[in-house]
Amino acid sequence: MTIPAIHLAGVSRRFGALHAVRDVSFDVAAGERRAVLGPNGAGKTTLFNTICGDFPPTAGRIEFFGADITAAKPHHRTRMGIGRTYQTSLLFNGLSVLDNLFIAVRGLRPNRFSFLRPGRDDSGMQKARELAERMRLSHLLDSEVINLSHGQRRQLEVGMALAGDPRLLMLDEPAAGLSPGDRPELLRLLRELPRSLTLILIEHDMDIALPAADIVTVMKDGEVVVEATPDRIESDPVVQAIYLGGGH
Amino acid sequence: MHSRVLLWSALGLALLLVMPWLLLQALPQNQAQFWTANILGRGIVFGIIAMSLTFLATYGGFISLAQMMVAGVAGYTLAIFVDGAVPRIAGGLGYGLAIPLAILAATVMGLIVGAIAVRTRDIYLLMITLALAMGIFRFIETNIAWFNGYEGIRNVVGPDVFGFDFRNAYVFYYIALGTAGALYFGVLYLVRTPFGLVLQGIRDNPRRVAALGYAVGPHRIAAFGVAGFIAGCGGVLATIYNIGISPGSIGLGATVNVLIMSVIGGLGHPIGAFVGSLVFTFFDTFSASIYDRERFNTLIGVVFLVIVLLSPDGLLGAGARLRKMLGGRDAP
Ligand SMILES: Nc1ncnc2c1ncn2[C@@H]1O[C@H](COP(=O)(O)OP(=O)(O)OP(=O)(O)O)[C@@H](O)[C@H]1O
Ligand SMILES: [Mg+2]
């Protein structure tokens, strides 16, 4: 049996009395595309936070390609190959697109703390330019992020998550708030990602999540309630209850 | 934005380079000298100290009220160790050694302030830096053995620079201008380095910076060290300008003055420090002759209020808005 990209065993996360994620166990195979669905407050983002380390689990165990990362620091996980985007954009508003990407690239390298200005042929700068090109932001390299459109900010988020050449990419509602015009562009970018990349996608909108996913995990009240292939999801009685019947 | 600022900076620097000559054409010699040293030169020196505050504010989002105290650490170190100062505290060093030692001391003090304040932000940072500044001020004021108490240390006349006397108005002016120019362009360089970019990242989003693998604390402390270095250069020049240093020069009044200069100029860019300090020095000098000394605080207070009310981002922001109103399309 091959080692899964992500192995969750009894993962829980409490915030005081609130049990935001409760005893979640599932595997995501290498190269798989997994969608995580669920109503507001189901614990989807919190599950991401336990995997990327922003809020490590309060119980349970997380393995990344067989390595125990349950307690690892967020940037160690980034360096191991976990990249993520945030539901609400966490970009550096006062810096340019290129500088945002450069900071993301540079953070993974040993010479992070430096008082020397990178030259034009600096490998980190080159990498940042490549990422901008992949994210179709090359024409905006010197624009301050605060001046970007919502869709462009989403694209930049994905670019920053790719800075460490991750083996696992986690996207938290990448299409949320996008205008209908911006959506196809982002979806095309996501489809262009190499097939070798393992992808976990949180998405509210089934029309986006289902075509993109190999397997869908549905969460509610911090627990996994259904795990199935996309074609079985829409007809699943539990999912129908959550999405149509108000959650009971 | 960036290239325009560079252009304006270069123009401003060029103007300041020829100002002494222009003043000599327009005014009698003694007045021209007064303007050169006591208004422009002094303004530039305090601009350096104000820039240490603006640097932290613009790129890190930190408002530190400790910068005048840090400058004072350089001034006192110089006065304590340089030969010829009165009273002699330690002595034994020429200016060639005492000045680097003074700047080093300010840099270390900057690092210490940064380390103490490393976890605080906003109003708490303001309070903790103010408390540090006032604590050091009171300590110096009451310590006779090292700082000669409230009288301070006199007769720090400054070195001969390649055979030129520092006390000559023009020698002082061009040394101050050269130092300010080097520090200013140094700052512009620094903020394009990984250190400077990460500092701006910390300003915009410290959590994300940490998640990207950077150590936020050491970057913050280093930024305060850089600001300490800048303030130290200003402190050395100010001490030589004043021919000595006393606790009053790092007290609450002086601390607030540096903040006022920075805010008058604008915290959006380090050039604001010099705009603000020159405006401040101008009012400082002439209101004292128009009114009596007491009224100065009223006048500068009114100037401050008017500027802040009309333009919360200082004269720099007012300039940008004016350009916009006049139809400049590329105004930010
Ligand atoms: N840092 C935190 N501190 C306290 N409570 C939190 C924190 N983060 C999340 N929660 C709580 O945990 C629960 C799950 O939140 P989470 O953000 O994971 O839901 P979600 O499935 O991502 O919802 P949405 O679709 O609205 O993004 C919510 O009740 C939320 O209030
Ligand atoms: Mg969420």
Side-chain angles (χ1 to χ4, degrees):
Chain A
M1 204 191 131
T2 54
I3 301 169
I6 277 290
H7 169 69
L8 304 176
V11 170
S12 297
R13 171 74 210 194
R14 284 172 179 275
F15 294 108
L18 181 80
H19 220 146
V21 168
R22 221 186 262 264
D23 197 19
V24 168
S25 302
F26 63 78
D27 286 5
V28 180
E32 185 186 318
R33 262 105 223 252
R34 172 71 60 108
V36 178
L37 295 183
N40 284 74
K44 308 181 294 291
T45 298
T46 306
L47 185 68
F48 264 28
N49 285 336
T50 63
I51 297 174
C52 80
D54 280 4
F55 291 105
T58 42
R61 179 181 164 89
I62 303 178
E63 286 176 14
F64 177 60
F65 286 99
D68 182 357
I69 57 162
T70 313
K73 288 244 158 60
H75 56 271
H76 288 143
R77 302 186 199 211
T78 314
R79 255 168 251 165
M80 289 171 82
I82 299 179
R84 77 167 289 186
T85 65
Y86 292 83
Q87 186 170 355
T88 49
S89 147
L90 285 181
L91 299 169
F92 306 120
N93 280 328
L95 290 173
S96 69
V97 167
L98 184 63
D99 289 341
N100 268 266
L101 290 166
F102 177 70
I103 291 184
V105 171
R106 188 71 183 231
L108 301 161
R109 306 201 165 181
N111 50 352
R112 280 185 296 288
F113 201 116
S114 166
F115 288 101
L116 289 180
R117 189 164 168 170
R120 271 201 73 77
D121 53 348
D122 177 88
S123 67
M125 275 292 175
Q126 268 170 5
K127 175 91 198 244
R129 271 193 211 95
E130 266 168 46
L131 287 168
E133 198 167 298
R134 264 172 89 181
M135 291 300 117
R136 298 177 210 274
L137 293 169
S138 290
H139 58 300
L140 295 166
L141 282 183
D142 294 323
S143 305
E144 272 185 35
V145 165
I146 193 137
N147 298 323
L148 297 188
S149 75
H150 191 69
Q152 289 160 345
R153 297 173 68 96
R154 286 288 173 190
Q155 284 161 243
L156 180 55
E157 276 278 356
V158 178
M160 288 176 74
L162 289 173
D165 295 317
R167 288 182 286 171
L168 167 67
L169 180 64
M170 303 195 294
L171 304 172
D172 196 345
E173 302 199 23
L178 287 193
S179 68
D182 282 337
R183 279 185 179 226
E185 174 82 339
L186 189 84
L187 289 177
R188 190 164 71 230
L189 287 175
L190 297 184
R191 268 198 296 275
E192 278 172 12
L193 294 172
R195 211 36 235 203
S196 60
L197 192 68
T198 310
L199 192 75
I200 309 183
L201 174 76
I202 294 180
E203 191 47 72
H204 259 298
D205 189 341
M206 286 222 221
D207 296 337
I208 291 176
L210 298 188
D214 301 323
I215 299 185
V216 178
T217 299
V218 182
M219 289 181 73
K220 184 171 182 302
D221 297 333
E223 287 175 308
V224 173
V225 286
V226 180
E227 191 172 301
T229 51
D231 53 318
R232 313 242 313 260
I233 278 289
E234 271 176 299
S235 56
D236 188 284
V238 181
V239 177
Q240 282 185 342
I242 291 174
Y243 272 81
L244 305 171
H248 290 286
Chain B
M1 172 73 193
H2 199 70
S3 57
R4 199 175 55 219
V5 164
L6 273 182
L7 181 69
W8 279 105
S9 312
L11 280 177
L13 188 64
L15 181 66
L16 287 172
L17 274 171
V18 298
M19 263 323 263
W21 181 81
L22 288 176
L23 287 166
L24 274 173
Q25 308 311 304
L27 298 168
Q29 203 205 342
N30 64 334
Q31 278 188 38
Q33 241 182 48
F34 177 82
W35 268 86
T36 302
N38 299 45
I39 297 181
L40 296 179
R42 186 159 68 101
I44 288 168
V45 167
F46 279 96
I48 293 173
I49 300 174
M51 184 174 73
S52 80
L53 190 157
T54 314
F55 163 74
L56 287 173
T58 307
Y59 300 108
F62 315 126
I63 307 273
S64 161
L65 289 183
Q67 297 314 113
M68 191 68 230
M69 176 274 279
V70 173
V73 166
Y76 268 104
T77 306
L78 176 65
I80 287 168
F81 286 101
V82 82
D83 275 331
V86 179
R88 182 189 164 98
I89 308 276
L93 295 185
Y95 280 96
L97 281 176
I99 289 177
L101 183 68
I103 294 171
L104 179 69
T107 309
V108 170
M109 184 47 104
L111 291 169
I112 292 172
V113 171
I116 292 175
V118 70
R119 295 205 178 279
T120 55
R121 288 183 75 91
D122 308 326
I123 189 81
Y124 304 101
L125 179 66
L126 204 83
M127 293 312 292
I128 208 167
T129 50
L130 181 64
L132 280 170
M134 290 305 103
I136 301 273
F137 160 67
R138 294 293 296 172
F139 177 72
I140 285 176
E141 196 185 37
T142 51
N143 182 297
I144 305 284
W146 276 96
F147 304 101
N148 198 33
Y150 68 87
E151 275 182 38
I153 305 169
R154 286 162 287 129
N155 206 39
V156 183
V157 292
D160 274 359
V161 185
F162 305 118
F164 296 103
D165 182 2
F166 209 107
R167 302 246 60 83
N168 176 302
Y170 296 98
V171 173
F172 164 71
Y173 177 77
Y174 281 109
I175 287 175
L177 183 60
T179 308
L183 290 171
Y184 173 74
F185 287 105
V187 164
L188 293 192
Y189 171 88
L190 195 63
V191 299
R192 305 297 310 150
T193 66
F195 164 75
L197 291 174
V198 170
L199 184 62
Q200 293 166 79
I202 291 171
R203 171 197 65 198
D204 291 348
N205 211 323
R207 213 182 110 206
R208 184 74 189 262
V209 171
L212 287 172
Y214 295 96
V216 172
H219 272 89
R220 279 188 60 158
I221 294 171
F224 276 81
V226 169
F229 177 87
I230 297 170
C233 294
V236 165
L237 287 168
T239 302
I240 297 176
Y241 171 85
N242 289 321
I243 326 182
I245 185 164
S246 62
S249 53
I250 63 166
L252 183 61
T255 293
V256 171
N257 283 351
V258 169
L259 182 67
I260 290 179
M261 289 174 200
S262 309
V263 175
I264 286 181
L267 295 172
H269 193 274
I271 194 78
F274 294 101
V275 175
S277 70
L278 285 168
V279 169
F280 184 95
T281 311
F282 177 82
F283 277 104
D284 182 23
T285 308
F286 287 101
S287 64
S289 60
I290 299 167
Y291 297 115
D292 55 86
R293 193 66 222 171
E294 289 299 303
R295 298 256 177 94
F296 165 68
N297 287 330
T298 320
L299 181 64
I300 199 72
V302 169
V303 170
F304 179 75
L305 271 181
V306 167
I307 290 176
V308 172
L309 284 177
L310 291 182
S311 171
D313 39 5
L315 290 173
L316 286 188
R321 257 192 291 279
L322 205 63
R323 265 202 309 283
K324 212 176 203 166
M325 261 158 37
L326 297 177
R329 245 182 283 139
D330 58 348

